[in-house]
Amino acid sequence: MAASPSTARAINDRSALRLLQDEGPLTATQLKTLTGLSRPTVADLVERLQGSGLVHVVGESGAERRGPNAKLYGIVADRAHLAALDVRTRSVSVTVADLLGTTLAEASVPVGDDDGGGTGEAVERAVALLERTVAEAGADRLHSVAVGAPGLIDPATGELRDSSGLPAWHRRLVAVLQERLPAHVLVENETNLAAVAELREGAARDRDDFVLLWLGQGVGAAVVLGGRLRRGASGGAGEIGFLPVPGTSGLPSATGCDGGFHELACSAAVASLATAHGLDPAGALTSGHGPFLDALAHRLAVGAAAVVSVLDPGCVVLAGETGHAGGAELAARVEAELSALSPLRTEIRPTALGDAAVLRGALLRARDAAQDELFGPQSAGL
């Protein structure tokens, strides 16, 4: 069935807005060429988007003759402001950006545990950091806020679920932000956000299928298939820390991942392995010490082999503290070890975004949420 006139206008407007986002300011002639729409249709949509406050004239193109056709149109970046939070066990980092995702201000602060009662000192410190950063950015009102945190996200409610070892203030922080802010507050698992960032701007930009292994204080995985993040029925896809593997003290349980892959690959385990090789854990991953890197690569390959045998993603990205510090050298060793364990050809890549992956993924999530609302039919007056 043919689309109704209002639906067709909505589709055309959204297409034009996406082009302006991806390509930067464009003239009406360039929009006509890129969209394949007629000149009158482009003129109508430009007028409509200007009237909605989403698009404005930002200059003139030197490639065009002077006049209406020379006008460059761009998205009104300050139409909405966004915030992203990376909530770790003992720290919080914040980025505030405009509708195009351009960073306006950023900051971080150490945050300790509290007793979980009320809002708590830890929650207040995190909220105060966000408020200061928003003020520094000159953002009057936040439209969307995305929070990246360890733990499971309930797919039905979007809430951060209780999980072993998760500080109580993490869950309370999300609730307080939702209570105090007029913004749309989203929460997502940190590993999933890192994968979104690597997919769109990092090591997996050329991949539709890949798995990201998060190797830090905790161990997890994010699964991307067909260019889409896969969370699983309960939001727990990628809880690879609980994966039973050889070489551990026993088996994991429903309440703890000791005995699982976590025991071999978490940052504490990597530090112990470095010490056993006579190395300072602080610099072991960058020391180039062959025996240590080989031993670590074998451990990581054991976990990767289990994932690869089920999903066959063709690519695994090593992220988190260990993946970042190990870089290309560790990735190459893991790939060699994995090739001996699995017949499935799998490329192992180091993270391209490093420590910034979670925060960048959160910002992309916030930007998508804002644009989905503002670029929709109602925002264009349809």
Side-chain angles (χ1 to χ4, degrees):
M1 295 179 61
S4 66
S6 62
T7 299
R9 288 196 297 269
I11 293 172
N12 292 341
D13 289 357
R14 193 175 182 91
S15 175
L17 286 164
R18 290 300 181 191
L19 283 169
L20 290 171
Q21 172 191 287
D22 295 340
E23 305 293 335
L26 297 169
T27 64
T29 299
Q30 290 170 326
L31 281 171
K32 174 182 177 297
T33 300
L34 292 171
T35 61
L37 299 172
S38 68
R39 188 176 298 279
T41 299
V42 169
D44 287 343
L45 75 82
V46 166
E47 181 179 356
R48 195 161 52 243
L49 293 176
Q50 283 185 287
S52 70
L54 285 170
V55 167
H56 61 167
V57 177
V58 298
E60 293 187 346
S61 171
E64 303 279 354
R65 64 181 184 274
R66 296 188 62 81
N69 290 335
K71 292 180 179 178
L72 279 169
Y73 298 96
I75 291 175
V76 180
D78 61 2
R79 172 67 185 271
H81 290 101
L82 324 167
L85 285 79
D86 180 2
V87 181
R88 303 294 176 95
T89 304
R90 296 189 177 277
S91 68
V92 174
S93 297
V94 174
T95 293
V96 177
D98 62 24
L99 183 58
L100 290 175
T102 302
T103 297
L104 303 176
E106 52 190 353
S108 61
V109 67
V111 178
D113 293 328
D114 65 10
D115 61 5
T119 56
E121 182 180 347
V123 170
E124 290 299 334
R125 192 169 188 183
V127 172
L129 175 69
L130 174 60
E131 291 173 343
R132 289 196 305 271
T133 310
V134 169
E136 181 184 342
D140 296 331
R141 186 174 182 269
L142 291 176
H143 182 285
S144 298
V145 178
V147 181
L152 299 179
I153 309 301
D154 189 320
T157 65
E159 296 179 353
L160 188 63
R161 291 169 49 189
D162 291 348
S163 62
S164 177
L166 183 67
W169 67 269
H170 279 197
R171 295 185 298 279
R172 186 56 186 153
L173 173 61
V174 173
V176 169
L177 291 175
Q178 291 170 334
E179 291 167 2
R180 294 190 186 180
L181 297 178
H184 186 199
V185 179
L186 312 161
V187 60
E188 179 62 270
N189 174 268
E190 61 181 357
T191 304
N192 285 344
L193 289 176
V196 168
E198 297 287 359
L199 171 67
R200 293 168 62 173
E201 300 181 349
R205 281 176 295 178
D206 61 338
R207 305 290 310 196
D208 287 330
D209 302 328
F210 75 98
V211 169
L212 180 138
L213 291 187
W214 183 266
L215 306 167
Q217 182 175 346
V219 175
V223 179
V224 175
L225 298 175
R228 294 180 57 193
L229 186 67
R230 309 292 175 164
R231 295 178 175 83
S234 63
E239 284 295 314
I240 196 175
F242 288 87
L243 182 71
V245 292
T248 63
S249 60
L251 290 174
S253 70
T255 58
C257 52
D258 291 341
F261 184 54
H262 174 91
E263 187 176 310
L264 295 182
C266 69
S267 57
V270 174
S272 295
L273 183 63
T275 301
H277 281 81
L279 302 174
D280 179 358
L285 284 163
T286 57
S287 67
H289 188 271
F292 163 69
L293 291 176
D294 285 340
L296 177 58
H298 179 73
R299 288 187 178 191
L300 300 182
V302 167
V307 174
V308 166
S309 67
V310 175
L311 298 176
D312 188 19
C315 178
V316 172
V317 175
L318 303 183
E321 175 187 336
T322 298
H324 184 205
E329 183 171 3
L330 178 61
R333 291 172 188 258
V334 173
E335 184 172 325
E337 290 283 342
L338 181 58
S339 68
L341 296 176
S342 172
L344 304 178
R345 181 178 176 85
T346 307
E347 184 180 2
I348 308 294
R349 299 178 180 179
T351 170
L353 301 176
D355 293 339
V358 175
L359 201 56
R360 188 61 192 169
L363 186 58
L364 289 169
R365 181 75 175 85
R367 190 183 76 182
D368 288 347
Q371 291 184 351
D372 282 345
E373 179 179 330
L374 296 174
F375 291 5
Q378 290 184 349
S379 67
L382 305 179

